Amino acid sequence: MPRRSLRLRLLFTFGLGALVLSSLFASLTYVGVQRVLVSDRQHTDLRDSFVNAALIRNTLYTSPPALPSLLYSIEQATSANVLVRTHHQWLSRSRGAVASDVPAGILAKVGAGQAAEQTISVGGHLLFVVGVPIPAVETTVYEIFQLDPLEHTLRTLLELLGVGALATTLMGIGGGLWASRRAVRPLERVSAAAALIAEGELTTRLAVGQADREVQRLTESFNAMVSRLVERMERDARFASDVSHELRSPLTTLTTTASILQQHRSELSPAAQESLDLLTADLSVFRSLVEDLLEIARSDAGATTLVIETVPAVELVRQAVRSAAQRHALSEPQIVVDGELDDVRVSVDRRRFERVVTNLIVNAHQYAGDAVAVRVSRRGDSLVLDVDDAGPGIPEDEREQVFARFFRGHAAHDRSASRGTGLGLALVRDHVTSFQGTITATDSPEGGARFEVVLPVREEGE
Amino acid sequence: MPRILIVEDDDHIRSALRLMFEGEGFDVDDAPSGEVGVALFSRMTADVAIVDVMLPGMSGFETCQALRATSDLPIVIVSARDETADVVLGLESGADDYVTKPFVPEELLARVRAHLRRRPDKHTHAFTLGRLKVVPDEGVVRRDDGTELHLTSTEFRLLTDLASVSGKVLSREDLLERVWGYDYFGDSRLVDVHIRRLRTKIEPDPASPVYLVTVRGAGYKLVL
């Protein structure tokens, strides 16, 4: 099973990568900035507290009644609430924090004569509490700083980082899209070209242009591969064609001299007569084989020799059937035209079409007695040509194989007397395909085999 | 006895053909090349010629043209190739017929005999095609200035056969049977090429014929 699309996977990987990286970066930034900001602030607040405590101590020494006004001015100058506990009494100008806000831990520590600090959260607000004992005057000073403004800054930072992370993720996806397209496009071009070549467009090559080095290399090796392949195919086709050509001359001499011997048959001994008959029969098989080989080599060599004409189908079939039957001295099968088809035209190479009909009729003769009927009908945009015989039919598992070159099915083994070239039906399929048609083997309604040729119907003027 | 000229470079095939035709009662002249064939023909006129296409030196096509330049004898081309282009080239260089190797000897013999049997049709009345006057019983075509237009015997036969059915359409198969004398289905390219060649001789504009017209899907007819 193929894995999911490479493009999707690239896209997903890029997006996820960007998301993870940007989130990590944002979190680290947030935590770091928060730490620095808070500790800076606490540092400042702590210093302020000690300064304030010193002021309070001095005031308590010199003029205790001035304490409230001092506390007021301190609260004005800083954002702190100041609580003073002197001689077991709470003293505060503050409207915000109260004594109960001071955590017990601080109270205890300060009570023991130590300065203490703690960050607490009260009703969703962050508070920084500093306690400073002033033992000389039996006083303790507590200052409560609001960290809220800092929190606002941090929230803004968090929002900015979030937006940044989202933007980075989107850019990652965009980058993934670009990269995947760039990475996949050459692949798509290669697969499109390969598909064309598979369809027989052997001149297809990848465009060599400005491209990445890797793509350039792929392009070059792909083109080189196709060229080698085509060269190889051409060489094979040429070889078969050359061999057949070379065989033609001696074969011509053989058939001509055998025919002369046949003229003098009566002068020969019975053994010589029998030998001559065997020779003549096999020469005829040999001749068909050479012709078929040559034809198949030509069809392998490409469509260059195709001469396509658009002709009335029924007339074409009639001529081809008559020609095939007469050339091979076979009984002419009945031609059944189903419907008014006089105006129906098909595009074929006449000679190759004749070959198709001839081979089908000869095949029926060799393996199934004879063709009994040739039916012409129209099915939608197609012309259907059925060649039916009254033989044993073709086993289901051989219906595709019969079109393979040199395939010998059951019928061929059972009837050793009939000797085809093994290329007839392969040629038929090659030729029908070259007319953009199809051919299949099925059962005829009468029980024999049916070869069904389907050709596209051409409209007038096409 | 009919005399046949065989131009074939393959010694074995040439000997086999000689044996066959001699056995069938022909006088045989054979030549291994076009040059020798043409020289031989200028001394001993033959009734029919068989010319191989692939010859050393002068090609089969050139040999055909050289023979055609001096005579109307039927020429059958023997070719190892049956591509349409080769067949057309052969016929256009003046051949009347062609067979491909390896041929069935009986078929070649039948074709040669058919060409020899063929006699000009003397029954069709004289008729005119524009500025041309066709006189079948004299076997000539005259322009209106009295000069003769040269047609090969196959071309002449094609023209008079089409005229003899007075404007009716003859299919390619009908024409093959009537003109080439085949009682089996031959190659329709034979007819097409000869029609084209005939058109270049009798039509004012061969590209858009007015006398020798194609009836699509049916065949050809002569408009008188």
Side-chain angles (χ1 to χ4, degrees), chain B residues 22-147:
Chain B
E22 280 176 350
E24 295 295 326
F26 283 76
D27 279 336
V28 180
D29 290 325
D30 59 9
S33 71
E35 290 86 345
V36 176
V38 172
L40 211 57
F41 182 72
S42 64
R43 278 184 279 124
M44 310 271 282
T45 305
D47 302 302
V48 60
I50 294 177
V51 179
D52 183 35
V53 169
M54 307 254 244
L55 292 173
M58 193 177 183
S59 78
F61 300 142
E62 288 162 348
T63 309
C64 270
Q65 283 165 348
L67 293 176
R68 182 57 75 226
T70 58
S71 169
D72 282 341
L73 90 163
I75 303 174
V76 180
I77 272 196
V78 178
S79 165
R81 308 166 56 97
D82 64 348
E83 295 300 296
T84 295
D86 296 296
V87 172
V88 169
L89 197 59
L91 295 176
E92 284 185 342
S93 60
D96 297 274
D97 203 352
Y98 79 94
V99 288
T100 50
K101 284 183 196 170
F103 46 80
V104 179
E106 290 77 12
E107 188 178 321
L108 178 63
L109 200 60
R111 289 192 182 205
V112 166
R113 288 224 166 98
H115 283 290
L116 287 174
R117 235 186 355 254
R118 209 174 58 194
R119 290 281 170 266
D121 172 18
K122 308 247 180 196
H123 308 295
T124 309
H125 295 295
F127 56 95
T128 55
L129 292 170
R131 307 173 64 179
L132 299 174
K133 186 170 176 67
V134 184
V135 193
D137 52 2
E138 290 177 41
V140 293
V141 180
R142 287 199 192 89
R143 300 192 184 85
D144 55 1
D145 60 5
T147 56

Side-chain angles (χ1 to χ4, degrees), chain A residues 248 287 298 305 315 323 345, chain B residues 80 83 101-102 185 216-217:
Chain A
R248 281 179 168 216
R287 183 173 165 270
R298 260 201 304 259
T305 54
E315 189 206 342
S323 151
R345 304 161 80 85
Chain B
E83 295 300 296
K101 284 183 196 170
F185 179 72
R216 253 176 94 170

